[in-house]
Amino acid sequence: MARLLSFTSVLALIAASASAADMNFNRVASFATPQNMAQGEDANRESSSEIIAATEDGLRLVYTDSPLGAIGMIDITDPTTPKPLGNIDMGGEPTSVTVIGSTAFAAINTSENYVAVGGKLLTIDLDGKSIAAECDLGGQPDSIARSKDGSFIVIAIENERDEDLNEGVIPQMPAGQVAMIDVSEGVADCASLRFADVTGLAEVAPEDPEPEFVDINGLGETVVTLQENNHIVVLDRDGKVVSHFPAGSVTLENVDLTDERGALRFTETQADRKREPDAVKWIDDTHFATANEGDYEGGSRGWTIFNKDGTVVYDSGTSFEHAVIEAGHYPDKRSDAKGVEPESIEFASFDGVPYVFVGAERASVVGVYDVSDPAAPVLRQILPSGIAPEGIVALPSRNLLVTANEADLVEDGGVRSHVMVYERQDALAAYPQITSAGADTLIGWGALSGLAADPENDGILYAVNDSFYGYQPSIFTIDATQVPARITSVVEITRAGQTAQKLDLEGVTTDGDGGFWLASEGRTDRLIPHAIYHVDAEGRIKQEIPLPAELLAQEKRFGMEGIARDGDTLWMPVQRPWNDDASNEVKLVAYNTSTEEWGAVRYPLDAPADAGWVGLSDIEIHGEHAYVIERDNQIGAKAAIKKIYRVAMSDLSPAPLGGELPLVEKQPVRDLLPDLKALNGFVVDKVEGLAMDTEGKAYIVTDNDGVDDSSGETLFFTVDAMAPASN
């Protein structure tokens, strides 16, 4: 069997040959929270990793799991192989956790409703997995933080608003406050509990402060974000106000504010958008950084560094969101809300380099910023995370970074909540593998489906997006000679001078004359036709060819998934069986552009390994074979079939529709599961695009579903040779 090189293998070779690679964070492991469930427990219960902390030796992680009413623990002695340590029942909803030594302190919400509020602080012996002490907090807690010396703890008592009451408008009593409690001999001293009054400070609902997040600097000062009030307060160790100030607002330019599913147009402006910070972290004793999520009336889509006197030292404006857009992680469905929604933030110094880590909840990424100059942070990386990063903890003594990602899609059969571990390495950044950074204009992209190679220029590819971007069907030009691959330009598909509607592009191939043939999957219940489109180099539709009646009479929802050209013949795989197919067979449909004749052959599918279905995703013709992607629709640990097969071109002799169709024989070429696991995340569902250059190098891309119930990761990798797999 020929030696095959994945994208990450190429990265390793490049890194090894480099004289001095930059230090980068790369993911080394992922841990699904259901692994912490006890034997016999229903693994299909919702579970979620939210706020996360670590023991001081850096060997164990502790995270809150509010759906289970527990805190979970993970052994990361070997960070590449996290091991479950089980859950500890909290008797309520844990909202936050911190650790001193090997003792955890968890804030627990016990409120009956938004008025009858309650909460407690638990001291937890992690070694014995037992509750060592319990203190009544008298209100609904949110964030918790420990002092640097471990002598006291601060808790934000939010007493959050009811968003369904009076349209969520504040004030809504009872008011929030900040709790402080000493730690004595490793246990919270309930008798020392005191409260800092932060009413009467904010311009927005001053009588109803809603403390959201707290952090403590080396001087023992606590910074508190009042998120809905768009205000920030700094307290001394005794709870006295050192300073307070509005968080302010930002005017955002070149943003997408339109809740129009399926179009990435960054042309709008939003004036005076309130920051409404959520998470906050001290950088030093004078500066702190905020993640400006918004929740009430704002959300500036960015993050800010403040001086504790209220001076804005730095604001990211739209630069962070634009970097997320270039990485293909922009959540279009959140355009009219808060965009990428920065929510979590962490600070730590690694080998003397100070970093701020910004988690974007809706984009499912973490921005890594070098803040050596707090007035001019430098974005070093965009890290892929699980769905909805909620908590971040840095472990510089072990060169590790960890994210807790709260979304658990168990009810939809989707991916589970994950904790992800990254290591700072002397290596190239493994992600993103494809980006639009460096293009002449800001290019938003996602949901890449079909892929094709330029026949004249090796390494130049073309990709299309699918129906998620139904208001912006496009062809992207990709320069795959660069690492990462670069989307350099885009043309939108038009009809009579207007953006073409009712397209579900799943395949693209060149026409040999500067234009393209496109396959649209179609869905008749949404009035999207199954069709082939011929477009010129500018994306203008020249010809629309509907499927013939003989095919449409047998139509089921899933249609053509890819297109390839062999001279005058176009070949298109139908993704799943239609009404006249056997349950484990699909058609490869042929259309002759010269004679306008249709035909087909039958293709045998693998049987599903467990649940779900198996179908085809793309087709490519190279030499004497046609290559197809065959995959199941499973994700994460359930994924079993993500493969490339090939069929001899001599077998592709299409028979007329309506008669007996020949059954082709397939040969396995490559199991893609190892490639999909190479970045140490969970296995993504949709391997969608396949292209091959003149030398036979294959390019493969995954579909990120437009970052909708998806981590947004797009994997793009190469295979140097496509020989049949050995048995």
Side-chain angles (χ1 to χ4, degrees):
M1 179 179 177
R3 189 164 74 100
L4 307 178
L5 294 179
S6 68
F7 182 88
T8 49
S9 298
V10 173
L11 283 182
L13 290 174
I14 294 174
S17 63
S19 58
D22 289 335
M23 299 296 292
N24 286 290
F25 292 88
N26 286 319
R27 186 170 51 199
V28 295
S30 298
F31 178 91
T33 58
Q35 294 181 62
N36 261 333
M37 292 185 178
Q39 186 174 3
E41 191 174 357
D42 182 6
N44 289 320
R45 290 181 62 193
E46 183 182 358
S47 172
S48 177
S49 58
E50 297 170 272
I51 303 304
I52 193 162
T55 54
E56 288 190 40
D57 60 11
L59 299 179
R60 283 179 289 177
L61 300 173
V62 183
Y63 62 87
T64 60
D65 190 329
S66 62
L68 293 182
I71 62 169
M73 298 182 294
I74 308 171
D75 179 353
I76 58 166
T77 303
D78 178 355
T80 67
T81 311
K83 297 178 180 178
L85 293 175
N87 295 320
I88 304 175
D89 182 45
M90 294 288 100
E93 177 197 5
T95 62
S96 188
V97 66
T98 191
V99 177
I100 299 174
S102 60
T103 301
F105 300 85
I108 311 299
N109 178 21
T110 61
S111 302
E112 296 178 18
N113 51 50
Y114 291 99
V115 177
V117 294
K120 57 187 179 181
L121 175 68
L122 299 184
T123 302
I124 305 149
D125 177 1
L126 295 177
D127 295 328
K129 298 184 179 181
S130 60
I131 308 299
E134 177 178 319
C135 303
D136 185 4
L137 294 175
Q140 174 255 313
D142 196 329
S143 167
I144 185 173
R146 53 158 289 184
S147 64
K148 304 294 184 187
D149 61 6
S151 64
F152 73 101
I153 286 172
V154 175
I155 307 106
I157 306 297
E158 183 179 10
N159 295 336
E160 65 182 354
R161 65 193 172 106
D162 181 352
E163 295 185 30
D164 295 324
L165 175 65
N166 191 30
E167 297 184 343
V169 175
I170 55 175
Q172 292 183 18
M173 298 297 116
Q177 53 189 338
V178 178
M180 296 180 166
I181 190 167
D182 294 336
V183 176
S184 177
E185 297 182 355
V187 177
D189 178 9
C190 300
S192 70
L193 179 65
R194 65 261 187 204
F195 295 95
D197 181 9
V198 289
T199 61
L201 303 178
E203 297 173 358
V204 178
E207 67 272 42
D208 180 25
E210 300 215 357
E212 186 76 20
F213 216 96
V214 291
D215 194 42
I216 306 171
N217 68 10
L219 302 176
E221 297 172 329
T222 299
V223 59
V224 187
T225 57
L226 311 181
Q227 186 172 12
E228 284 80 358
N229 311 88
N230 196 39
H231 208 77
I232 298 173
V233 182
V234 178
L235 306 169
D236 68 12
R237 181 176 177 136
D238 296 322
K240 295 180 181 178
V241 176
V242 174
S243 63
H244 72 92
F245 44 87
S249 61
V250 179
T251 293
L252 303 173
E253 297 180 342
N254 299 319
V255 290
D256 185 348
L257 304 175
T258 304
D259 186 20
E260 176 188 48
R261 183 177 186 268
L264 300 176
R265 305 191 191 283
F266 305 100
T267 58
E268 297 170 272
T269 297
Q270 191 170 55
D272 301 323
R273 188 67 165 175
K274 291 178 180 177
R275 291 189 173 97
E276 293 184 0
D278 186 338
V280 61
K281 280 288 180 178
W282 288 97
I283 294 174
D284 52 35
D285 290 341
T286 304
H287 303 91
F288 54 81
T290 62
N292 305 326
E293 178 199 22
D295 191 52
Y296 186 49
E297 300 175 325
S300 68
R301 305 176 181 229
W303 67 284
T304 305
I305 295 178
F306 290 92
N307 187 295
K308 66 183 178 183
D309 65 7
T311 304
V312 173
V313 176
Y314 167 81
D315 189 277
S316 67
T318 57
S319 64
F320 177 53
E321 182 165 277
H322 284 186
V324 171
I325 291 165
E326 292 171 338
H329 279 258
Y330 182 75
D332 188 41
K333 283 190 173 181
R334 301 294 297 176
S335 288
D336 68 331
K338 293 169 281 185
V340 298
E341 205 163 316
E343 182 176 22
S344 49
I345 206 157
E346 172 68 312
F347 169 80
S349 290
F350 287 75
D351 294 329
V353 181
Y355 291 101
V356 166
F357 305 92
V358 184
E361 180 184 13
R362 300 293 176 170
S364 297
V365 295
V366 174
V368 180
Y369 283 85
D370 179 339
V371 292
S372 296
D373 180 355
V378 178
L379 178 62
R380 296 298 186 190
Q381 286 183 266
I382 293 286
L383 298 179
S385 196
I387 304 176
E390 178 79 8
I392 309 174
V393 62
L395 307 174
S397 65
R398 299 197 63 202
N399 245 12
L400 300 177
L401 178 75
V402 180
T403 65
N405 303 277
E406 67 174 329
D408 187 356
L409 306 181
V410 62
E411 291 187 1
D412 300 321
V415 73
R416 307 305 302 269
S417 172
H418 276 74
V419 171
M420 294 188 168
V421 184
Y422 309 79
E423 184 178 53
R424 188 168 179 261
Q425 304 171 337
D426 186 5
L428 296 178
Y431 193 87
Q433 296 183 324
I434 182 170
T435 175
S436 64
D440 292 338
T441 59
L442 179 64
I443 298 176
W445 61 276
L448 300 183
S449 51
L451 198 64
D454 188 296
E456 304 296 331
N457 300 285
D458 281 352
I460 302 301
L461 309 175
Y462 305 100
V464 290
N465 52 12
D466 68 18
S467 62
F468 189 90
Y469 299 104
Y471 290 93
Q472 199 176 33
S474 301
I475 302 174
F476 301 90
T477 300
I478 301 168
D479 181 355
T481 67
Q482 302 186 55
V483 177
R486 303 281 177 171
I487 296 175
T488 58
S489 63
V490 58
V491 297
E492 293 188 20
I493 309 303
T494 58
R495 181 189 286 114
Q498 302 295 319
T499 298
Q501 302 293 313
K502 300 298 183 181
L503 299 184
D504 182 6
L505 300 182
E506 293 288 350
V508 58
T509 190
T510 57
D511 68 356
D513 195 30
F516 303 91
W517 288 99
L518 309 176
S520 181
E521 180 177 13
R523 187 167 173 180
T524 54
D525 63 339
R526 295 181 179 175
L527 302 180
I528 302 174
H530 298 274
I532 305 169
Y533 294 89
H534 193 191
V535 303
D536 65 16
E538 302 302 319
R540 294 177 291 235
I541 293 177
K542 302 192 297 182
Q543 185 181 13
E544 178 177 350
I545 305 170
L547 293 194
E550 298 95 324
L551 277 177
L552 292 178
Q554 307 298 330
E555 183 248 7
K556 282 187 178 178
R557 172 185 160 189
F558 296 89
M560 294 182 296
E561 286 271 329
I563 189 169
R565 183 174 63 89
D566 178 33
D568 290 336
T569 301
L570 300 173
W571 283 97
M572 295 144 288
V574 177
Q575 184 178 57
R576 291 175 60 189
W578 281 11
N579 288 323
D580 59 341
D581 291 314
S583 61
N584 66 332
E585 294 178 0
V586 293
K587 296 182 183 71
L588 301 180
V589 176
Y591 175 73
N592 189 295
T593 59
S594 178
T595 65
E596 301 182 355
E597 293 177 319
W598 291 86
V601 297
R602 292 180 294 141
Y603 175 95
L605 294 170
D606 289 353
D610 185 10
W613 51 260
V614 175
L616 301 183
S617 281
D618 203 358
I619 186 169
E620 178 66 294
I621 295 173
H622 179 76
E624 298 179 353
H625 293 89
Y627 297 80
V628 296
I629 293 175
E630 187 173 340
R631 66 171 180 88
D632 58 20
N633 67 332
Q634 300 301 292
I635 193 169
K638 294 181 180 179
I641 300 173
K642 315 289 184 184
K643 298 179 178 179
I644 296 176
Y645 285 98
R646 76 180 190 180
V647 176
M649 291 300 296
S650 58
D651 281 357
L652 290 184
S653 299
L657 300 175
E660 183 68 22
L661 303 179
L663 180 67
V664 300
E665 181 180 343
K666 66 182 185 181
Q667 279 185 300
V669 174
R670 188 177 183 88
D671 182 355
L672 296 174
L673 281 175
D675 299 290
L676 299 176
K677 295 176 180 178
L679 294 188
N680 301 307
F682 53 80
V683 177
V684 298
D685 170 17
K686 296 183 176 179
V687 188
E688 287 281 83
L690 170 64
M692 298 176 69
D693 66 18
T694 57
E695 299 300 318
K697 176 186 284 189
Y699 301 85
I700 296 147
V701 71
T702 64
D703 176 355
N704 72 359
D705 278 331
V707 204
D708 182 28
D709 284 343
S710 164
S711 68
E713 290 188 36
T714 296
L715 305 187
F716 180 93
F717 55 93
T718 63
V719 177
D720 278 352
M722 293 289 275
S726 57
N727 295 325

